[in-house]
Amino acid sequence: MPKAYWVSVYRTVSDPEKLAAYGKLARLAVQPWGGRTFVRGGRVVAYDAGIAERTVLVEFDSFEQAVAARESAAYQEALAVLADGAERDFRIVEGLD
């Protein structure tokens, strides 16, 4: 079964405190679904039309787990805390088999 990934690229962060609070809750929200964070911030070099901003990559054992984590009540709580604190491009992608 192919793994799945949350890929999130932040276009802007307007409220670092909201982002920090979201980060704590989001980490707790993905753990029950087997989410493992491989990238959270750090150095970025963007090419083509890429965005050289904060990037987060979380791996799950299946696409279904990744979607369930995103739709969970715990993650919805984290999103409510983030609110307008950041603008980001978030997607769930399935890995290769």
Side-chain angles (χ1 to χ4, degrees):
M1 176 182 302
K3 296 191 183 294
Y5 302 88
W6 282 11
V7 182
S8 186
V9 178
Y10 288 71
R11 298 178 192 280
T12 60
V13 174
S14 56
D15 190 329
E17 290 179 12
K18 285 184 179 180
L19 179 60
Y22 157 83
K24 290 177 185 176
L25 292 174
R27 279 192 293 279
L28 295 174
V30 302
Q31 288 174 351
W33 301 99
R36 295 169 299 282
T37 303
F38 288 122
V39 175
R40 184 175 48 241
R43 299 188 317 166
V44 176
V45 175
Y47 295 96
D48 302 324
I51 301 168
E53 295 295 337
R54 179 180 177 81
T55 301
V56 177
L57 178 68
V58 181
E59 180 184 68
F60 293 85
D61 289 332
S62 73
F63 190 81
E64 291 74 21
Q65 284 175 308
V67 171
R70 173 64 171 78
E71 294 176 354
S72 71
Y75 189 71
Q76 296 307 306
E77 180 183 343
L79 286 175
V81 167
L82 178 61
D84 62 351
E87 178 188 358
R88 63 193 185 139
D89 176 349
F90 178 94
R91 62 193 68 210
I92 299 173
V93 297
E94 189 173 52
L96 299 175
D97 201 7

